[in-house]
Amino acid sequence: MQELNIGLPSCYQAVYKSHESNNLVITFTPTNGFFLCNNDLNAHKICISTNQPNYYIFNPGNACKKLSKYIEKLDVKNILLIGSSKAGLASILWGELIKRNINKSTKIFVLSFSPQTLLYPFNERLYFPSYKALIKLISKSDSLRKCAENYGDLNSILEESKLRGIVIYPKDNYCDRLEATRLKARGIILYGLQYPLHGSFLPFMPQTRDSKQLWKMVNKIYQNSLKDVDLNATIPKSADELFNIISSIKVPTIEQLCKNIFYKLDSGEDISVETIFIKN
């Protein structure tokens, strides 16, 4: 991965990896590092993170204009944006803004796991420590408050949108279920996974296919939770419990989802949960 210097606002960092493909994956990081940067998604890859608890709503219009100009140089046909939690919100918001700026022949699709959909006005459902930090920042910054007014409710952004995508949320998680089901966007499919935890992307990780690799992933999650207050607030107290919950869910890997989505985008076929959950 190489650092991507295209003039994004300083709170955002981006890296890029090229690939001989007509496809591009853009990922947003919910916690730290760069989400899916080491996964082989068979596509160009741009990974974006933020060093502030701004939920990716700080000046996304300007960021997406610059990102769109860079993407057009890559000459890709299909773009898939992926994120979870606050990064799930980003995948939808930035996906819509990129769609407004990029060549209309480019196909854009969003794969969003457990996104928050209402940040502003204050949403009492959101229990995440980083959300409290966001609200505090908004109260102190006129520029961030204006961004929150413009971008803090996904429904206002997507009112006339033709953006296509799938939102995967845990049916057994009260907050995530309500955040997902309030979303009103005609092109976005909602899929409730029989799963209780906020991290609904975890069962889709390739490590879940091998018990040793899954244990390694689970242990790393708990190590990271010592530094990440949001992560610590959304996982069980016991690593054994998390291991058992994840291993009980049988779904395709994120790599398989990407492969199936790009195939459907290329062929022009309709995309549904049933078609992308097929294991080839």
Side-chain angles (χ1 to χ4, degrees), residues 108-121:
I108 299 178
F109 197 85
V110 169
L111 184 59
S112 178
F113 298 88
S114 300
Q116 291 83 43
T117 61
L118 177 62
L119 299 178
Y120 194 83

Side-chain angles (χ1 to χ4, degrees), residues 225-237:
S225 72
L226 298 175
K227 302 176 183 177
D228 188 321
V229 290
D230 278 358
L231 182 58
N232 188 58
T234 58
I235 56 176
K237 292 182 179 180

